């Protein structure tokens, strides 16, 4: 391990844009399941291509509560291996279906993972809601998750276009009454106006991605004025075609605008780029200095 990589690897890191059942590093996954074979593409055919890959590979493998627990466990272990000491990661509310359709049984499994790794990582699971979830699931199952005390934040993800965010307003308001941090995926493939709309409707504490804010001075000002942090995942953006490469990524412009941001893995299982890998790439490509990366690193911690 070269000097820069060792230096960055040894720094404590936070990952605050992470989907737990998709966060297992491919190396650990192969060690656990040596017969599991799938070709990980360097680039996906956009968001739809990623979802197709998940359906054909991850979902085809994830058929039991044991598989779900294994993937979440491997995700936490992968974070620990990269010296991630603080982890905010979404746990999809629909995963309870693998646990005899028992929300309580699933929440107990998540809580057991918290206890298992409490001396190695500050693991903060968050309620993860896919925009395609039914209103019944959101209003009943989602509320149970929030009331459990197991989860510390709320995240909304899925296709960024053609969704009426007003349907999620009640659960966002409820999460805030329970002192949960709120996040929303927006502005990776959708334009800056969708970011403004999401802020106006949901009033999130943080935005997952949000990179298209760079296209509007007003949107960037709106973000800074309200103290919203952008949790950016450069390798994910590149692999999904939201940007062409590191040099065309707007992260530097967003940083220079005064927006507080972090760098995260998103889905380590799909993109195979740890936080250490991404920090090093951004330094070696001349996007940030080590000192600037260190400042960004510290942003991830509470």
């Amino acid at each position: 391990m070269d000097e820069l990589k060792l230096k960055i690897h040894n720094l404590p890191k936070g990952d605050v844009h992470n989907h737990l059942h998709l966060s297992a590093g491919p190396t650990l996954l192969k060690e656990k399941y040596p017969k599991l074979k799938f070709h990980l593409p360097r680039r996906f055919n956009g968001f739809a291509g990623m979802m197709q890959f998940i359906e054909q590979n991850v979902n085809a493998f994830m058929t039991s509560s044991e598989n779900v627990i294994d993937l979440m466990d491997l995700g936490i272990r992968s974070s620990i291996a990269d010296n991630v000491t603080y982890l905010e990661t979404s746990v999809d509310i629909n995963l309870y279906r693998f646990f005899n359709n028992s929300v309580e049984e699933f929440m107990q499994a998540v809580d057991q993972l918290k206890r298992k790794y409490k001396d190695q990582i500050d693991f903060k699971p968050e309620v993860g809601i896919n925009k395609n979830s039914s209103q019944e699931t959101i209003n009943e199952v989602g509320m149970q998750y929030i009331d459990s005390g197991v989860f510390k934040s709320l995240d909304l993800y899925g296709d960024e276009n053609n969704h009426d965010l007003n349907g999620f307003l009640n659960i966002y308001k409820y999460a805030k009454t329970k002192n949960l941090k709120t996040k929303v995926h927006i502005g990776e493939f959708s334009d800056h106006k969708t970011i403004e709309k999401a802020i106006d409707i949901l009033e999130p504490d943080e935005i997952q991605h949000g990179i298209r804010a760079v296209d509007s001075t007003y949107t960037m000002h709106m973000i800074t004025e309200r103290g919203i942090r952008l949790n950016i995942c450069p390798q994910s953006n590149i692999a999904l075609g939201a940007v062409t490469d590191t040099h065309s990524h707007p992260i530097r412009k967003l940083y220079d605008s005064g927006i507080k941001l972090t760098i995260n893995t998103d889905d380590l299982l799909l993109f195979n780029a740890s936080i250490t890998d991404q920090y090093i790439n951004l330094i070696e490509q001349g996007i940030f200095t080590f000192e600037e990366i260190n400042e960004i690193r510290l942003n991830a911690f509470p």
Side-chain angles (χ1 to χ4, degrees):
M1 188 180 293
D2 63 37
E3 185 177 349
L4 177 61
K5 185 171 184 178
L6 180 62
K7 183 178 182 180
I8 291 179
H9 177 271
N10 287 341
L11 289 171
K13 290 174 285 289
D15 193 352
V16 294
H17 183 163
N18 177 296
H19 301 266
L20 188 55
H21 75 285
L22 297 172
S23 63
T27 300
L28 283 181
L29 185 64
K30 289 177 183 178
E31 288 178 3
K32 177 71 177 181
Y33 295 100
K35 295 183 179 180
L36 181 65
K37 296 183 184 297
F38 61 81
H39 172 66
L40 191 64
R42 183 170 173 268
R43 291 178 184 259
F44 295 83
N45 185 21
F47 181 81
M50 178 189 71
M51 295 308 297
Q52 182 180 39
F53 181 88
I54 291 172
E55 183 65 32
Q56 294 176 348
N57 295 278
V58 182
N59 290 355
F61 158 76
M62 195 170 62
T63 58
S64 69
S65 60
E66 181 180 357
N67 295 149
V68 175
I69 292 171
D70 281 347
L71 284 175
M72 294 193 299
D73 187 277
L74 288 168
I76 296 171
R77 287 175 53 198
S78 297
S79 293
I80 294 170
D82 193 36
N83 204 24
V84 170
T85 59
Y86 182 79
L87 178 64
E88 291 179 3
T89 176
S90 65
V91 179
D92 194 285
I93 60 174
N94 290 296
L95 291 176
Y96 79 95
R97 70 186 186 276
F98 293 102
F99 293 76
N100 302 310
N101 284 316
S102 170
V103 174
E104 182 63 31
E105 188 177 332
F106 180 52
M107 289 191 297
Q108 287 177 357
V110 175
D111 195 44
Q112 285 173 2
L113 287 174
K114 287 178 66 176
R115 297 175 187 276
K116 179 178 180 180
Y117 291 106
K118 65 182 178 64
D119 295 329
Q120 295 173 266
I121 191 170
D122 190 0
F123 169 44
K124 304 286 189 184
E126 61 194 21
V127 181
I129 301 178
N130 190 301
K131 294 187 180 99
N132 292 325
S133 299
S134 68
Q135 283 297 315
E136 181 181 5
T137 299
I138 294 167
N139 293 328
E140 294 184 13
V141 177
M143 296 296 187
Q144 290 182 60
Y145 278 52
I146 290 172
D147 286 336
S148 70
V150 174
F151 302 90
K152 304 304 179 184
S153 51
L154 172 70
D155 186 21
L156 179 66
Y157 44 80
D159 190 352
E160 296 175 345
N161 292 292
N162 305 316
H163 278 282
D164 182 3
L165 297 180
N166 285 289
F168 306 98
L169 183 55
N170 285 340
I171 196 165
Y172 268 72
K173 286 183 176 179
Y174 189 67
K176 288 178 183 293
T177 68
K178 297 293 184 176
N179 296 315
L180 267 68
K181 180 193 294 185
T182 57
K183 308 177 182 180
V184 59
H185 281 60
I186 202 74
E188 180 183 19
F189 296 101
S190 60
D191 64 21
H192 64 91
K193 292 182 179 179
T194 65
I195 299 173
E196 295 171 16
K197 185 177 291 187
I199 293 172
D200 283 335
I201 295 173
L202 300 178
E203 299 182 346
D205 297 303
E206 299 170 11
I207 290 176
Q208 312 288 62
H209 298 303
I211 58 175
R212 294 278 44 101
V214 77
D215 298 326
S216 166
T217 301
Y218 176 79
T219 309
M220 290 191 287
H221 176 70
M222 189 179 191
I223 290 169
T224 54
E225 185 179 45
R226 302 198 186 194
I228 297 171
R229 190 177 74 194
L230 300 188
N231 299 322
I232 297 175
C233 308
Q235 183 54 40
S236 168
N237 301 150
I238 293 168
L240 294 180
V243 298
T244 304
D245 53 33
T246 303
H247 284 282
S248 62
H249 198 289
I251 190 169
R252 180 74 216 194
K253 292 181 181 179
L254 293 166
Y255 174 86
D256 287 339
S257 76
I259 291 174
K260 188 174 184 179
L261 55 85
T262 62
I263 294 167
N264 309 275
T265 59
D266 202 352
D267 305 314
L268 188 60
L269 177 60
L270 305 180
F271 308 122
N272 197 22
S274 68
I275 294 180
T276 293
D277 293 334
Q278 294 182 88
Y279 284 176
I280 290 172
N281 181 55
L282 289 164
I283 292 171
E284 290 183 339
Q285 295 295 320
I287 309 301
F288 291 113
T289 65
F290 173 83
E291 290 72 22
E292 289 167 335
I293 282 292
N294 195 45
E295 174 193 335
I296 292 169
R297 174 186 72 87
L298 293 173
N299 286 342
F301 293 96

